Amino acid sequence: MLHGEDPVRRLRLRLTVSVGAHGPLERPVIRVADLTGADAVEVGSAVRAYLQQTEFEKRQQEGVVPDPDAPLPERYLREVDDPSVAYAGHRVLIAQLQDRVVGVVVLSEREGIAEIKRLWAVPAARGRGVGSALLDSAVHAAAESGATEVRLSVWDWRQGALRLYESRGFERVPSWDDRERLVCMVRPV
């Protein structure tokens, strides 16, 4: 357990749900990442996967045949190579299933506004509540810190993510970003 982590909250997040005749399905455990330890490698790896997938999808959306082995743009390398520096002052949460990191979310806060960044669930773990648990935990963390609203942005082709955000009370708002096809969303805390 990390210093300052709430053990009761951690236990509450370790829920199980029944799925048809298949019996109980373990829900992810969400915890604060320790970016000074082994979690830094896991976070860097998860963020790399997120960014590579995003860059791949952007090329597809542009009608270009994407190169799955293309290197990441330089502007992202610090997040991947040294998340402890890149995310200094941010709250980073990770999702675990059976002690394996299967997702990450980065939450930044400034002047009462929290912003969710880099929400990612490993594709093999999708459908197990990883994204929902990370999103809910990030919103909860924002509320605990005194934020009055949470905002995020998502590419318009990520329809599953858009449905998830809308199901959690996020609403589309005029864009604060000049990139085309980026949907900006906000919800009160």
Side-chain angles (χ1 to χ4, degrees):
M1 182 165 329
L2 298 173
H3 176 71
E5 186 176 9
D6 181 351
V8 174
R9 184 170 175 276
R10 184 170 181 182
L11 284 173
R12 264 187 290 178
L13 291 171
R14 192 185 252 305
L15 305 171
T16 57
V17 295
S18 294
V19 178
H22 299 294
L25 177 66
E26 184 182 357
R27 294 278 295 164
V29 173
I30 309 299
R31 65 179 177 80
V32 175
D34 176 6
L35 296 180
T36 64
D39 287 345
V41 172
E42 297 285 352
V43 168
S45 179
V47 170
R48 177 183 297 280
Y50 165 83
L51 293 168
Q52 286 174 324
Q53 182 65 36
T54 300
E55 291 301 305
F56 186 85
E57 290 173 4
K58 284 180 191 176
R59 299 300 161 259
Q60 283 181 319
Q61 296 298 316
E62 294 168 354
V64 174
V65 176
D67 175 3
D69 299 319
L72 284 173
E74 183 78 25
R75 67 184 178 274
Y76 296 132
L77 295 182
R78 191 170 77 164
E79 290 181 71
V80 171
D81 295 337
D82 197 354
S84 66
V85 171
Y87 299 136
H90 295 68
R91 177 172 255 182
V92 179
L93 305 174
I94 55 175
Q96 289 183 282
L97 286 171
Q98 301 175 350
D99 297 325
R100 188 171 149 251
V101 174
V102 294
V104 64
V105 65
V106 177
L107 183 68
S108 68
E109 298 174 45
R110 197 174 88 211
E111 299 175 12
I113 297 174
E115 185 169 359
I116 294 174
K117 299 177 171 277
R118 310 295 187 239
L119 178 58
W120 173 254
V122 173
R126 291 185 185 155
R128 307 247 343 242
V130 173
S132 297
L134 283 166
L135 178 61
D136 294 344
S137 294
V139 169
H140 182 75
E144 282 184 335
S145 74
T148 57
E149 73 177 33
V150 180
R151 70 186 206 166
L152 58 82
S153 58
V154 60
W155 296 105
D156 66 0
W157 62 81
R158 290 188 166 158
Q159 292 299 310
L162 283 163
R163 283 190 300 277
L164 171 63
Y165 301 146
E166 288 170 340
S167 78
R168 295 305 198 271
F170 284 87
E171 295 181 357
R172 296 171 193 225
V173 296
S175 183
W176 56 76
D177 191 299
D178 61 356
R179 292 177 286 176
E180 286 186 42
R181 303 192 67 184
L182 199 63
V183 177
C184 294
M185 305 181 85
V186 174
R187 70 159 275 180
V189 177

